[in-house]
Amino acid sequence: MKKLLNIGFATVLFGLVMVSCNDDDYETIESIDKIKIDSVKIVNDTMDVFALQSIKTYSTYPSQCQGFYGYDYIYNNNLERTVTAYKYITNGPCAQNSYTGANQINFSPRQKGKYTFKFWNGGNNWITKTIVVK
């Protein structure tokens, strides 16, 4: 039994070493920066309390070295939200062709009301969307 435990432990340790040494496929993230949200797709502009809806955002990335990093999702008050998207920039060689990336926010309201979403569209510009929650 002790011999089987030693073999199992050695196998797990070997597997961890092999996985940790195999990160050549990933480029290092050099920086994070805002990226404007070009458009927003909301399927239902009316929904129920506690229901779940995915809000999709679309941004254009100038090269394959850039991609979606995350959102800054701020509750300004009970019914107003501002959303800013961020991109990562890597240091590796990549194609310089632009592409459009789609991402989503899952929205599940906890109270009734008229929710206003403002999505950053560059500079002082915002895309405003409204969802009525019944």
PDB file of all heavy atoms in Angstrom, residues 39-66:
ATOM      1  N   SER A  39     -20.488  48.789 -29.921  1.00  0.00           N
ATOM      2  CA  SER A  39     -21.929  48.568 -29.923  1.00  0.00           C
ATOM      3  C   SER A  39     -22.310  47.650 -28.770  1.00  0.00           C
ATOM      4  O   SER A  39     -21.471  46.942 -28.212  1.00  0.00           O
ATOM      5  CB  SER A  39     -22.405  47.988 -31.256  1.00  0.00           C
ATOM      6  OG  SER A  39     -21.822  46.735 -31.479  1.00  0.00           O
ATOM      7  N   VAL A  40     -23.606  47.678 -28.445  1.00  0.00           N
ATOM      8  CA  VAL A  40     -24.151  46.892 -27.330  1.00  0.00           C
ATOM      9  C   VAL A  40     -25.423  46.213 -27.812  1.00  0.00           C
ATOM     10  O   VAL A  40     -26.234  46.822 -28.501  1.00  0.00           O
ATOM     11  CB  VAL A  40     -24.481  47.804 -26.127  1.00  0.00           C
ATOM     12  CG1 VAL A  40     -25.089  47.005 -24.995  1.00  0.00           C
ATOM     13  CG2 VAL A  40     -23.250  48.559 -25.663  1.00  0.00           C
ATOM     14  N   LYS A  41     -25.574  44.936 -27.448  1.00  0.00           N
ATOM     15  CA  LYS A  41     -26.783  44.197 -27.820  1.00  0.00           C
ATOM     16  C   LYS A  41     -27.488  43.730 -26.550  1.00  0.00           C
ATOM     17  O   LYS A  41     -26.933  42.949 -25.774  1.00  0.00           O
ATOM     18  CB  LYS A  41     -26.442  42.998 -28.693  1.00  0.00           C
ATOM     19  CG  LYS A  41     -27.665  42.231 -29.151  1.00  0.00           C
ATOM     20  CD  LYS A  41     -27.301  41.071 -30.044  1.00  0.00           C
ATOM     21  CE  LYS A  41     -28.535  40.312 -30.450  1.00  0.00           C
ATOM     22  NZ  LYS A  41     -28.202  39.128 -31.243  1.00  0.00           N
ATOM     23  N   ILE A  42     -28.694  44.243 -26.359  1.00  0.00           N
ATOM     24  CA  ILE A  42     -29.558  43.821 -25.262  1.00  0.00           C
ATOM     25  C   ILE A  42     -30.777  43.152 -25.898  1.00  0.00           C
ATOM     26  O   ILE A  42     -31.503  43.797 -26.662  1.00  0.00           O
ATOM     27  CB  ILE A  42     -29.972  45.012 -24.376  1.00  0.00           C
ATOM     28  CG1 ILE A  42     -28.732  45.602 -23.696  1.00  0.00           C
ATOM     29  CG2 ILE A  42     -31.019  44.593 -23.361  1.00  0.00           C
ATOM     30  CD1 ILE A  42     -28.989  46.828 -22.862  1.00  0.00           C
ATOM     31  N   VAL A  43     -30.983  41.891 -25.621  1.00  0.00           N
ATOM     32  CA  VAL A  43     -32.066  41.134 -26.256  1.00  0.00           C
ATOM     33  C   VAL A  43     -33.428  41.611 -25.767  1.00  0.00           C
ATOM     34  O   VAL A  43     -34.331  41.856 -26.562  1.00  0.00           O
ATOM     35  CB  VAL A  43     -31.890  39.615 -26.011  1.00  0.00           C
ATOM     36  CG1 VAL A  43     -33.062  38.844 -26.584  1.00  0.00           C
ATOM     37  CG2 VAL A  43     -30.589  39.137 -26.608  1.00  0.00           C
ATOM     38  N   ASN A  44     -33.587  41.741 -24.455  1.00  0.00           N
ATOM     39  CA  ASN A  44     -34.877  42.147 -23.885  1.00  0.00           C
ATOM     40  C   ASN A  44     -34.720  43.456 -23.135  1.00  0.00           C
ATOM     41  O   ASN A  44     -33.962  43.522 -22.164  1.00  0.00           O
ATOM     42  CB  ASN A  44     -35.400  41.079 -22.920  1.00  0.00           C
ATOM     43  CG  ASN A  44     -35.635  39.759 -23.609  1.00  0.00           C
ATOM     44  OD1 ASN A  44     -36.220  39.708 -24.671  1.00  0.00           O
ATOM     45  ND2 ASN A  44     -35.147  38.685 -23.008  1.00  0.00           N
ATOM     46  N   ASP A  45     -35.464  44.479 -23.540  1.00  0.00           N
ATOM     47  CA  ASP A  45     -35.395  45.755 -22.827  1.00  0.00           C
ATOM     48  C   ASP A  45     -36.375  45.812 -21.656  1.00  0.00           C
ATOM     49  O   ASP A  45     -36.442  46.793 -20.939  1.00  0.00           O
ATOM     50  CB  ASP A  45     -35.593  46.934 -23.770  1.00  0.00           C
ATOM     51  CG  ASP A  45     -36.935  46.913 -24.485  1.00  0.00           C
ATOM     52  OD1 ASP A  45     -37.702  45.957 -24.286  1.00  0.00           O
ATOM     53  OD2 ASP A  45     -37.205  47.860 -25.240  1.00  0.00           O
ATOM     54  N   THR A  46     -37.117  44.716 -21.465  1.00  0.00           N
ATOM     55  CA  THR A  46     -37.998  44.560 -20.312  1.00  0.00           C
ATOM     56  C   THR A  46     -37.777  43.157 -19.741  1.00  0.00           C
ATOM     57  O   THR A  46     -37.710  42.191 -20.488  1.00  0.00           O
ATOM     58  CB  THR A  46     -39.480  44.718 -20.717  1.00  0.00           C
ATOM     59  OG1 THR A  46     -39.650  45.997 -21.328  1.00  0.00           O
ATOM     60  CG2 THR A  46     -40.404  44.603 -19.520  1.00  0.00           C
ATOM     61  N   MET A  47     -37.643  43.086 -18.412  1.00  0.00           N
ATOM     62  CA  MET A  47     -37.414  41.784 -17.784  1.00  0.00           C
ATOM     63  C   MET A  47     -37.955  41.792 -16.362  1.00  0.00           C
ATOM     64  O   MET A  47     -38.313  42.837 -15.825  1.00  0.00           O
ATOM     65  CB  MET A  47     -35.931  41.416 -17.818  1.00  0.00           C
ATOM     66  CG  MET A  47     -35.009  42.384 -17.115  1.00  0.00           C
ATOM     67  SD  MET A  47     -33.245  42.046 -17.364  1.00  0.00           S
ATOM     68  CE  MET A  47     -33.008  40.553 -16.435  1.00  0.00           C
ATOM     69  N   ASP A  48     -37.995  40.608 -15.739  1.00  0.00           N
ATOM     70  CA  ASP A  48     -38.491  40.456 -14.377  1.00  0.00           C
ATOM     71  C   ASP A  48     -37.353  40.545 -13.366  1.00  0.00           C
ATOM     72  O   ASP A  48     -36.193  40.284 -13.691  1.00  0.00           O
ATOM     73  CB  ASP A  48     -39.186  39.095 -14.215  1.00  0.00           C
ATOM     74  CG  ASP A  48     -40.438  38.984 -15.058  1.00  0.00           C
ATOM     75  OD1 ASP A  48     -41.144  40.002 -15.220  1.00  0.00           O
ATOM     76  OD2 ASP A  48     -40.723  37.876 -15.563  1.00  0.00           O
ATOM     77  N   VAL A  49     -37.725  40.886 -12.139  1.00  0.00           N
ATOM     78  CA  VAL A  49     -36.762  40.887 -11.037  1.00  0.00           C
ATOM     79  C   VAL A  49     -36.193  39.475 -10.888  1.00  0.00           C
ATOM     80  O   VAL A  49     -36.914  38.493 -11.035  1.00  0.00           O
ATOM     81  CB  VAL A  49     -37.440  41.338  -9.724  1.00  0.00           C
ATOM     82  CG1 VAL A  49     -36.487  41.213  -8.543  1.00  0.00           C
ATOM     83  CG2 VAL A  49     -37.931  42.763  -9.849  1.00  0.00           C
ATOM     84  N   PHE A  50     -34.917  39.364 -10.624  1.00  0.00           N
ATOM     85  CA  PHE A  50     -34.165  38.117 -10.429  1.00  0.00           C
ATOM     86  C   PHE A  50     -33.978  37.287 -11.701  1.00  0.00           C
ATOM     87  O   PHE A  50     -33.361  36.238 -11.653  1.00  0.00           O
ATOM     88  CB  PHE A  50     -34.767  37.240  -9.324  1.00  0.00           C
ATOM     89  CG  PHE A  50     -34.797  37.917  -7.988  1.00  0.00           C
ATOM     90  CD1 PHE A  50     -35.994  38.278  -7.395  1.00  0.00           C
ATOM     91  CD2 PHE A  50     -33.617  38.213  -7.329  1.00  0.00           C
ATOM     92  CE1 PHE A  50     -36.019  38.908  -6.165  1.00  0.00           C
ATOM     93  CE2 PHE A  50     -33.632  38.841  -6.089  1.00  0.00           C
ATOM     94  CZ  PHE A  50     -34.842  39.198  -5.508  1.00  0.00           C
ATOM     95  N   ALA A  51     -34.505  37.756 -12.828  1.00  0.00           N
ATOM     96  CA  ALA A  51     -34.245  37.060 -14.094  1.00  0.00           C
ATOM     97  C   ALA A  51     -32.796  37.352 -14.491  1.00  0.00           C
ATOM     98  O   ALA A  51     -32.171  38.288 -13.994  1.00  0.00           O
ATOM     99  CB  ALA A  51     -35.205  37.539 -15.172  1.00  0.00           C
ATOM    100  N   LEU A  52     -32.259  36.554 -15.394  1.00  0.00           N
ATOM    101  CA  LEU A  52     -30.872  36.712 -15.843  1.00  0.00           C
ATOM    102  C   LEU A  52     -30.861  37.024 -17.329  1.00  0.00           C
ATOM    103  O   LEU A  52     -31.538  36.360 -18.114  1.00  0.00           O
ATOM    104  CB  LEU A  52     -30.067  35.438 -15.565  1.00  0.00           C
ATOM    105  CG  LEU A  52     -28.609  35.446 -16.009  1.00  0.00           C
ATOM    106  CD1 LEU A  52     -27.819  36.487 -15.222  1.00  0.00           C
ATOM    107  CD2 LEU A  52     -28.003  34.070 -15.820  1.00  0.00           C
ATOM    108  N   GLN A  53     -30.091  38.040 -17.693  1.00  0.00           N
ATOM    109  CA  GLN A  53     -29.955  38.416 -19.098  1.00  0.00           C
ATOM    110  C   GLN A  53     -28.488  38.717 -19.390  1.00  0.00           C
ATOM    111  O   GLN A  53     -27.815  39.375 -18.601  1.00  0.00           O
ATOM    112  CB  GLN A  53     -30.801  39.648 -19.426  1.00  0.00           C
ATOM    113  CG  GLN A  53     -30.649  40.104 -20.834  1.00  0.00           C
ATOM    114  CD  GLN A  53     -31.591  41.220 -21.250  1.00  0.00           C
ATOM    115  OE1 GLN A  53     -31.708  41.441 -22.420  1.00  0.00           O
ATOM    116  NE2 GLN A  53     -32.257  41.910 -20.354  1.00  0.00           N
ATOM    117  N   SER A  54     -28.017  38.255 -20.535  1.00  0.00           N
ATOM    118  CA  SER A  54     -26.656  38.556 -20.974  1.00  0.00           C
ATOM    119  C   SER A  54     -26.679  39.791 -21.858  1.00  0.00           C
ATOM    120  O   SER A  54     -27.441  39.851 -22.821  1.00  0.00           O
ATOM    121  CB  SER A  54     -26.072  37.386 -21.761  1.00  0.00           C
ATOM    122  OG  SER A  54     -25.923  36.267 -20.918  1.00  0.00           O
ATOM    123  N   ILE A  55     -25.851  40.762 -21.511  1.00  0.00           N
ATOM    124  CA  ILE A  55     -25.699  41.979 -22.309  1.00  0.00           C
ATOM    125  C   ILE A  55     -24.386  41.844 -23.051  1.00  0.00           C
ATOM    126  O   ILE A  55     -23.327  41.705 -22.431  1.00  0.00           O
ATOM    127  CB  ILE A  55     -25.693  43.229 -21.409  1.00  0.00           C
ATOM    128  CG1 ILE A  55     -26.999  43.322 -20.623  1.00  0.00           C
ATOM    129  CG2 ILE A  55     -25.441  44.479 -22.234  1.00  0.00           C
ATOM    130  CD1 ILE A  55     -26.998  44.400 -19.550  1.00  0.00           C
ATOM    131  N   LYS A  56     -24.418  41.872 -24.372  1.00  0.00           N
ATOM    132  CA  LYS A  56     -23.212  41.692 -25.176  1.00  0.00           C
ATOM    133  C   LYS A  56     -22.641  43.035 -25.605  1.00  0.00           C
ATOM    134  O   LYS A  56     -23.386  43.931 -26.001  1.00  0.00           O
ATOM    135  CB  LYS A  56     -23.484  40.835 -26.403  1.00  0.00           C
ATOM    136  CG  LYS A  56     -23.739  39.390 -26.048  1.00  0.00           C
ATOM    137  CD  LYS A  56     -23.654  38.517 -27.261  1.00  0.00           C
ATOM    138  CE  LYS A  56     -23.809  37.063 -26.814  1.00  0.00           C
ATOM    139  NZ  LYS A  56     -23.611  36.141 -27.898  1.00  0.00           N
ATOM    140  N   THR A  57     -21.314  43.145 -25.527  1.00  0.00           N
ATOM    141  CA  THR A  57     -20.625  44.329 -26.011  1.00  0.00           C
ATOM    142  C   THR A  57     -19.641  43.908 -27.094  1.00  0.00           C
ATOM    143  O   THR A  57     -19.117  42.796 -27.072  1.00  0.00           O
ATOM    144  CB  THR A  57     -19.868  45.056 -24.887  1.00  0.00           C
ATOM    145  OG1 THR A  57     -18.816  44.230 -24.398  1.00  0.00           O
ATOM    146  CG2 THR A  57     -20.798  45.438 -23.747  1.00  0.00           C
ATOM    147  N   TYR A  58     -19.405  44.824 -28.030  1.00  0.00           N
ATOM    148  CA  TYR A  58     -18.510  44.548 -29.150  1.00  0.00           C
ATOM    149  C   TYR A  58     -17.461  45.650 -29.234  1.00  0.00           C
ATOM    150  O   TYR A  58     -17.804  46.840 -29.190  1.00  0.00           O
ATOM    151  CB  TYR A  58     -19.305  44.477 -30.458  1.00  0.00           C
ATOM    152  CG  TYR A  58     -20.348  43.391 -30.448  1.00  0.00           C
ATOM    153  CD1 TYR A  58     -21.625  43.635 -29.964  1.00  0.00           C
ATOM    154  CD2 TYR A  58     -20.044  42.112 -30.889  1.00  0.00           C
ATOM    155  CE1 TYR A  58     -22.579  42.626 -29.933  1.00  0.00           C
ATOM    156  CE2 TYR A  58     -20.996  41.096 -30.864  1.00  0.00           C
ATOM    157  CZ  TYR A  58     -22.258  41.367 -30.385  1.00  0.00           C
ATOM    158  OH  TYR A  58     -23.195  40.365 -30.343  1.00  0.00           O
ATOM    159  N   SER A  59     -16.199  45.247 -29.368  1.00  0.00           N
ATOM    160  CA  SER A  59     -15.088  46.189 -29.497  1.00  0.00           C
ATOM    161  C   SER A  59     -14.186  45.735 -30.627  1.00  0.00           C
ATOM    162  O   SER A  59     -14.087  44.535 -30.913  1.00  0.00           O
ATOM    163  CB  SER A  59     -14.273  46.253 -28.196  1.00  0.00           C
ATOM    164  OG  SER A  59     -15.068  46.734 -27.138  1.00  0.00           O
ATOM    165  N   THR A  60     -13.507  46.688 -31.264  1.00  0.00           N
ATOM    166  CA  THR A  60     -12.584  46.387 -32.351  1.00  0.00           C
ATOM    167  C   THR A  60     -11.159  46.510 -31.841  1.00  0.00           C
ATOM    168  O   THR A  60     -10.766  47.564 -31.331  1.00  0.00           O
ATOM    169  CB  THR A  60     -12.796  47.346 -33.541  1.00  0.00           C
ATOM    170  OG1 THR A  60     -14.149  47.230 -33.971  1.00  0.00           O
ATOM    171  CG2 THR A  60     -11.864  47.003 -34.690  1.00  0.00           C
ATOM    172  N   TYR A  61     -10.399  45.436 -31.978  1.00  0.00           N
ATOM    173  CA  TYR A  61      -9.008  45.386 -31.536  1.00  0.00           C
ATOM    174  C   TYR A  61      -8.115  45.569 -32.764  1.00  0.00           C
ATOM    175  O   TYR A  61      -8.328  44.916 -33.788  1.00  0.00           O
ATOM    176  CB  TYR A  61      -8.710  44.058 -30.847  1.00  0.00           C
ATOM    177  CG  TYR A  61      -9.578  43.850 -29.629  1.00  0.00           C
ATOM    178  CD1 TYR A  61     -10.820  43.218 -29.732  1.00  0.00           C
ATOM    179  CD2 TYR A  61      -9.183  44.305 -28.390  1.00  0.00           C
ATOM    180  CE1 TYR A  61     -11.629  43.046 -28.628  1.00  0.00           C
ATOM    181  CE2 TYR A  61      -9.982  44.135 -27.272  1.00  0.00           C
ATOM    182  CZ  TYR A  61     -11.204  43.510 -27.397  1.00  0.00           C
ATOM    183  OH  TYR A  61     -12.001  43.345 -26.303  1.00  0.00           O
ATOM    184  N   PRO A  62      -7.084  46.426 -32.689  1.00  0.00           N
ATOM    185  CA  PRO A  62      -6.264  46.719 -33.867  1.00  0.00           C
ATOM    186  C   PRO A  62      -5.297  45.618 -34.279  1.00  0.00           C
ATOM    187  O   PRO A  62      -4.787  45.642 -35.387  1.00  0.00           O
ATOM    188  CB  PRO A  62      -5.514  47.986 -33.474  1.00  0.00           C
ATOM    189  CG  PRO A  62      -5.575  48.053 -31.999  1.00  0.00           C
ATOM    190  CD  PRO A  62      -6.785  47.293 -31.570  1.00  0.00           C
ATOM    191  N   SER A  63      -5.028  44.659 -33.401  1.00  0.00           N
ATOM    192  CA  SER A  63      -4.116  43.572 -33.771  1.00  0.00           C
ATOM    193  C   SER A  63      -4.427  42.324 -32.959  1.00  0.00           C
ATOM    194  O   SER A  63      -5.166  42.376 -31.976  1.00  0.00           O
ATOM    195  CB  SER A  63      -2.656  43.984 -33.552  1.00  0.00           C
ATOM    196  OG  SER A  63      -2.307  43.869 -32.185  1.00  0.00           O
ATOM    197  N   GLN A  64      -3.806  41.208 -33.356  1.00  0.00           N
ATOM    198  CA  GLN A  64      -3.988  39.942 -32.649  1.00  0.00           C
ATOM    199  C   GLN A  64      -3.237  39.916 -31.318  1.00  0.00           C
ATOM    200  O   GLN A  64      -3.395  38.984 -30.539  1.00  0.00           O
ATOM    201  CB  GLN A  64      -3.549  38.778 -33.536  1.00  0.00           C
ATOM    202  CG  GLN A  64      -4.333  38.655 -34.830  1.00  0.00           C
ATOM    203  CD  GLN A  64      -5.794  38.309 -34.609  1.00  0.00           C
ATOM    204  OE1 GLN A  64      -6.134  37.535 -33.726  1.00  0.00           O
ATOM    205  NE2 GLN A  64      -6.670  38.886 -35.407  1.00  0.00           N
ATOM    206  N   CYS A  65      -2.418  40.921 -31.047  1.00  0.00           N
ATOM    207  CA  CYS A  65      -1.699  41.020 -29.769  1.00  0.00           C
ATOM    208  C   CYS A  65      -2.556  41.651 -28.679  1.00  0.00           C
ATOM    209  O   CYS A  65      -2.084  41.885 -27.580  1.00  0.00           O
ATOM    210  CB  CYS A  65      -0.429  41.854 -29.929  1.00  0.00           C
ATOM    211  SG  CYS A  65       0.911  40.958 -30.722  1.00  0.00           S
ATOM    212  N   GLN A  66      -3.787  41.967 -29.011  1.00  0.00           N
ATOM    213  CA  GLN A  66      -4.677  42.593 -28.053  1.00  0.00           C
ATOM    214  C   GLN A  66      -5.953  41.777 -27.934  1.00  0.00           C
ATOM    215  O   GLN A  66      -6.389  41.139 -28.886  1.00  0.00           O
ATOM    216  CB  GLN A  66      -5.010  44.022 -28.501  1.00  0.00           C
ATOM    217  CG  GLN A  66      -3.789  44.889 -28.617  1.00  0.00           C
ATOM    218  CD  GLN A  66      -4.117  46.291 -29.064  1.00  0.00           C
ATOM    219  OE1 GLN A  66      -5.253  46.741 -28.987  1.00  0.00           O
ATOM    220  NE2 GLN A  66      -3.112  47.007 -29.531  1.00  0.00           N
TER     221      GLN A  66
END
